[in-house]
Amino acid sequence: MSRRSGILEFAVLGLLRESPMHGYELRKRLNTSLGVFRAFSYGTLYPCLKTLVANGWLIEEPGHTPEDALAAPLAGRRAKIVYRLTAEGKEHFEDLLSQTGPDAYEDEHFAARFAFFGQTSRDVRMRVLEGRRSRLEERLEKMRASLARTRERLDDYTLELQRHGMESVEREVRWLNELIESERAGRDLKGSASGDSAQQNTNGAPGVLPRPGDTPGTDTPGDTTP
């Protein structure tokens, strides 16, 4: 399984954990909620859904909306299929949420992981955030070294593009530092203490964190290269 298809399976399981959905609803949520999946098509999504069904992580059910009830009698139309997460699928997704290997720090995978931080335990969130920060600090060091070596050979526009890329990475590192500080202090991003049970989910995590693209003054984490 490729890394990109693995991210898609993770996101589909996470969205279906919230509620059952039609394929069209899933694609719309992937496009609007997880910007990393804007380039995905039905041709990519449906094979993924079939694989998850075959693995026993999803089941297919007929739709029950009034529109679906009228669809079957019409020539050439079938009722929409609703995809529902199974108990095994939920267990598998929770296992994926607990993983903090190097893949979780990469651009696309980190964006998908961050989108489900509201369902992730605090210790796992910390490991992912710290791993992502370390990965970006390494990237920033390499970019600075490369710029120092090639500065004299670059024209003004290429030099400015290099600087823009470095500023984007620096901005995300600052954003990650703020998130890590909030996690360590037991606060959500609004600055309130997470000890209030009204703000905690079933995993003991504070209120749902906003997605990277919603954070004021920051770029999407996956958007670190010019």
Side-chain angles (χ1 to χ4, degrees):
M1 179 176 62
S2 70
R3 175 182 296 176
R4 194 166 176 82
S5 63
I7 299 171
L8 178 59
E9 290 187 4
F10 171 82
V12 167
L13 292 172
L15 290 175
L16 290 177
R17 189 187 186 191
E18 299 173 5
S19 66
M21 297 184 201
H22 300 301
Y24 174 77
E25 292 174 305
L26 263 174
R27 183 170 182 257
K28 186 164 64 172
R29 287 289 305 278
L30 288 168
N31 289 341
T32 58
S33 302
L34 306 174
V36 68
F37 295 106
R38 284 174 186 149
F40 277 82
S41 65
Y42 281 113
T44 305
L45 176 58
Y46 280 101
C48 172
L49 290 170
K50 294 299 182 184
T51 298
L52 295 176
V53 170
N55 289 339
W57 298 330
L58 301 181
I59 58 173
E60 296 177 329
E61 299 177 339
H64 297 293
T65 66
E67 178 186 348
D68 295 330
L70 294 174
L74 298 178
R77 294 190 61 186
R78 295 190 308 169
K80 291 180 181 178
I81 298 297
V82 172
Y83 294 91
R84 182 184 299 275
L85 197 66
T86 64
E88 292 79 6
K90 181 179 180 181
E91 183 178 348
H92 178 62
F93 178 69
E94 291 173 350
D95 179 60
L96 294 176
L97 276 181
S98 68
Q99 295 178 11
T100 58
D103 281 352
Y105 316 147
E106 299 298 336
D107 295 345
E108 291 183 345
H109 207 152
F110 174 75
R113 288 297 302 268
F114 192 91
F116 296 100
F117 261 21
Q119 304 180 40
T120 307
S121 62
R122 181 184 299 278
D123 62 322
V124 172
R125 290 200 303 266
M126 282 292 295
R127 288 199 295 271
V128 173
L129 289 172
E130 290 174 341
R132 173 66 175 175
R133 181 177 63 179
S134 177
R135 179 62 51 85
L136 290 184
E137 287 173 342
E138 293 174 3
R139 184 183 301 176
L140 191 58
E141 184 178 348
K142 291 179 181 178
M143 293 173 73
R144 287 170 175 162
S146 175
L147 184 60
R149 290 194 306 269
T150 60
R151 181 186 299 272
E152 300 301 325
R153 300 195 300 270
L154 299 177
D155 61 63
D156 290 343
Y157 294 100
T158 304
L159 185 60
E160 192 62 29
L161 190 62
Q162 294 286 336
R163 287 173 176 165
H164 173 71
M166 288 176 55
E167 289 173 358
S168 296
V169 178
E170 290 169 344
R171 186 160 54 248
E172 187 179 342
V173 170
R174 291 194 298 270
W175 173 69
L176 289 167
N177 285 335
E178 293 173 0
L179 289 174
I180 291 169
E181 181 181 350
S182 293
E183 290 286 348
R184 285 176 176 165
R187 301 190 305 267
D188 63 16
L189 294 190
K190 295 180 180 179
S192 57
S194 62
D196 186 349
S197 60
Q199 287 188 324
Q200 291 184 327
N201 61 21
T202 56
N203 291 325
V208 177
L209 297 174
R211 296 183 177 87
D214 297 334
T215 305
T218 65
D219 288 341
T220 303
D223 206 10
T224 54
T225 55

